Amino acid sequence: MAASGVARTSTAGPGPGVVVVGAGQGGTDTTAALRARGYSGPITLVSDETAMPYQRPPLSKGYLSGAVSGEDIELRSHSYFSALDIDLVRGDRAEKIDRDAQSVLLASGRRLPYEHLVLTTGARPRTLPVPGAELSGVLTLRGLDDAEELRERFARGRSLALVVIGAGFIGLELAATARKLGHEVTVVEALPRAIARAVTPEMSARLTAEHRRQGARILLRREVTALHGDGTGHVRVVELDGGERLPADLVVIGVGVLPNADLAVDAGLLVGDGVIVDQHLRTSDPAIHAIGDCARFPSPRAGRHIRLESVQNASGQARCVAAAVLGEAEPYTDVPWFWSEQYAMKLQIAGLTGDHDETVLTGDPDGGRFSVFCFRAGRLIGVESVNRPADHGIARRLLASGTDLSPHDVARPGFDLKTHPRESAQRTKEPNPV
Ligand code: FAD
């Protein structure tokens, strides 16, 4: 599906308009939201990738397994961009922002003037500072090219020995896909539990148990000290602390990402683990916004600046920025939500669960359908659900409206979130007994 060189999908117009740098989820959705809200000025969307803008979530799931094609994961088609008069520039990189002249210089030499600039440059995988990390067969997974390479290697070899370094979302999704394809999978994680930064210990334990049940080896509290290759420079062994040596045909490093903020740093914008923005997602220069994986924004839910890596966050912030460009700025306050798929477990998270001090587990964990309700100081802050989409949907609504749900409510025998809002409305109508 990828074309090469600089490709362009039509259009130019009067006035400088909006330039969006990065045509991933956030960038593509920004252009769509601008047109949906009636913005009629010129819009240019710049991508340093040659492929048409695509969704990343399938890269560790259906695209990797071969269940869906490149076309299936396109965010928008050629005809969409031309119909909406959006100038999609592919295979060209934004190299420099000239804030005084309000223009962006591309690697091709093209200069794009802007009235509003939106940075949606995403993030890149962290590297692993160990000897041998440069060997062939040591990969990361962020873009379509990475997924294509992995997919091809998975298809070429039978029962490959795959070592995944890092038990985060991407590492575990990749591990699940590889197991389903029949490969031998070992996941090595330095922390005491899987996805430790994003889910509760209960959820980590259930996910880890399922991976083990499916035949993956999950090694916790283990550090990789070196990777060793054969005579051809291809990785063959992953060495762990303590000297254990794991055979490896393929290694994927999934140890988190770094925000792509170099453009912003060079332009003198405020940056610190992401481009720092205000509640309207404006950078320290009011003509420039930043959203999605590259942006660090003040979250009213977390009570501090955070950076989120999710489709919901990129899309929600795209809508918020489009409103700001049209002079209808509102603070960004959307309830964060996220999903992941591993084997038959569809995990959905509503809210931010990291700061919880109390949890209540409901449902049927052994039957693979359950939810973990997370509270802080007695207030609901998030719900992690596995195969309970109704819990997830209702939790999002409750979190958005502010809720009276307490740990005591959830722990009551027979508690059902589906009937809870009705029940609590009923309770508030009933007169207090005297
Ligand atoms: P991106 O989508 O990464 O887009 C940024 C784009 O900017 C890239 O194309 C990049 O090449 C380009 N770019 C960078 N610098 C420049 C430059 N100087 N000039 C031009 N272009 C530039 N989220 C979920 O909610 N659920 C999931 O199940 C899920 N699964 C995932 C699986 C994988 C394998 C990956 C990698 C991510 C997954 N995510 C998931 C996260 C989600 O895809 C990201 O949070 C989302 O794509 C962020 O959108 P973005 O626009 O900020 O960045």
Side-chain angles (χ1 to χ4, degrees):
M1 66 183 281
S4 63
V6 179
R8 207 171 286 157
T9 312
S10 85
T11 175
V18 181
V19 172
V20 181
V21 176
Q25 190 76 48
T28 305
D29 286 359
T30 299
T31 63
L34 281 166
R35 287 293 186 241
R37 279 186 164 260
Y39 181 77
S40 58
I43 302 177
T44 309
L45 178 59
V46 182
S47 176
D48 60 358
E49 299 189 76
T50 49
M52 286 298 285
Y54 57 89
Q55 306 166 45
R56 282 171 209 278
L59 300 185
S60 50
K61 310 176 185 80
Y63 182 80
L64 193 57
S65 70
V68 299
S69 71
E71 231 167 72
D72 295 332
I73 68 170
E74 274 182 11
L75 279 164
R76 304 282 179 176
S77 63
H78 277 286
S79 53
Y80 173 87
F81 288 106
S82 29
L84 290 194
D85 204 13
I86 294 163
D87 188 3
L88 171 63
V89 180
R90 290 184 286 137
D92 206 352
R93 190 174 169 75
E95 295 279 6
K96 197 173 169 42
I97 302 168
D98 182 339
R99 285 168 56 195
D100 294 332
Q102 297 210 172
S103 69
V104 178
L105 178 65
L106 304 188
S108 61
R110 190 175 169 196
R111 190 173 285 279
L112 301 171
Y114 65 82
E115 184 183 354
H116 299 276
L117 173 63
V118 185
L119 300 177
T120 64
T121 47
R124 62 187 181 282
R126 279 177 190 277
T127 51
L128 196 66
V130 297
E134 70 298 336
L135 288 166
S136 91
V138 181
L139 309 172
T140 53
L141 176 54
R142 176 73 196 181
L144 190 57
D145 293 350
D146 305 326
E148 267 172 13
E149 179 167 2
L150 264 172
R151 185 156 104 148
E152 199 198 300
R153 287 182 190 249
F154 279 169
R156 232 191 291 147
R158 289 206 161 269
S159 241
L160 292 176
L162 169 70
V163 177
V164 179
I165 305 176
F169 280 115
I170 289 174
L172 289 187
E173 288 180 355
L174 170 69
T177 303
R179 273 307 296 146
K180 282 196 270 184
L181 294 172
H183 301 298
E184 299 299 320
V185 178
T186 306
V187 181
V188 183
E189 169 59 56
L191 293 174
R193 62 184 180 90
I195 321 186
R197 292 191 190 89
V199 302
T200 55
E202 290 91 329
M203 190 57 72
S204 289
R206 297 278 165 189
L207 290 170
T208 303
E210 182 59 12
H211 277 270
R212 288 180 174 150
R213 203 176 69 81
Q214 298 282 350
R217 254 186 109 194
I218 310 277
L219 307 178
L220 302 172
R221 290 194 176 89
R222 300 301 302 274
E223 300 254 4
V224 171
T225 51
L227 307 176
H228 302 284
D230 56 19
T232 69
H234 188 90
V235 70
R236 288 293 164 216
V237 168
V238 175
E239 187 175 335
L240 305 184
D241 49 0
E244 188 180 348
R245 293 165 73 86
L246 306 173
D249 299 313
L250 203 55
V251 172
V252 181
I253 301 175
V255 293
V257 295
L258 292 170
N260 290 326
D262 299 356
L263 265 183
V265 171
D266 290 349
L269 300 175
L270 204 57
V271 173
D273 183 35
V275 187
I276 311 251
V277 294
D278 67 10
Q279 57 177 348
H280 301 294
L281 311 174
R282 253 182 333 219
T283 67
S284 46
D285 178 337
I288 307 178
H289 287 79
I291 65 165
D293 284 15
C294 74
R296 195 165 188 82
F297 67 98
S299 158
R301 288 168 202 281
R304 60 178 189 277
H305 274 75
I306 58 172
R307 210 168 53 70
L308 287 178
E309 293 153 22
S310 74
V311 166
Q312 170 279 324
N313 183 63
S315 294
Q317 294 192 337
R319 287 192 293 275
C320 181
V321 154
V325 165
L326 282 144
E328 297 153 15
E330 291 276 347
Y332 181 70
T333 59
D334 289 7
V335 175
W337 56 267
F338 189 82
W339 83 95
S340 174
E341 287 160 28
Q342 297 166 38
Y343 310 106
M345 296 175 88
K346 171 134 189 178
L347 166 65
Q348 292 172 294
I349 304 175
L352 299 171
T353 59
D355 287 338
H356 69 272
D357 56 19
E358 188 173 358
T359 58
V360 181
L361 182 75
T362 66
D364 176 13
D366 295 334
R369 289 166 52 81
F370 62 98
S371 294
V372 182
F373 288 74
C374 301
F375 299 88
R376 173 151 197 92
R379 285 194 67 83
L380 184 72
I381 56 167
V383 178
E384 299 169 348
S385 316
V386 170
N387 299 335
R388 303 254 290 193
D391 279 6
H392 175 72
I394 298 167
R396 274 165 51 183
R397 286 201 292 282
L398 290 179
L399 289 165
S401 61
T403 174
D404 64 345
L405 193 64
S406 71
H408 177 75
D409 286 327
V410 180
R412 250 184 318 122
F415 168 79
D416 185 348
L417 192 54
K418 286 201 272 298
T419 54
H420 173 76
R422 274 201 302 279
E423 276 178 13
S424 58
Q426 191 65 36
R427 277 205 302 276
T428 52
K429 273 190 223 145
E430 284 164 8
N432 285 333
V434 269

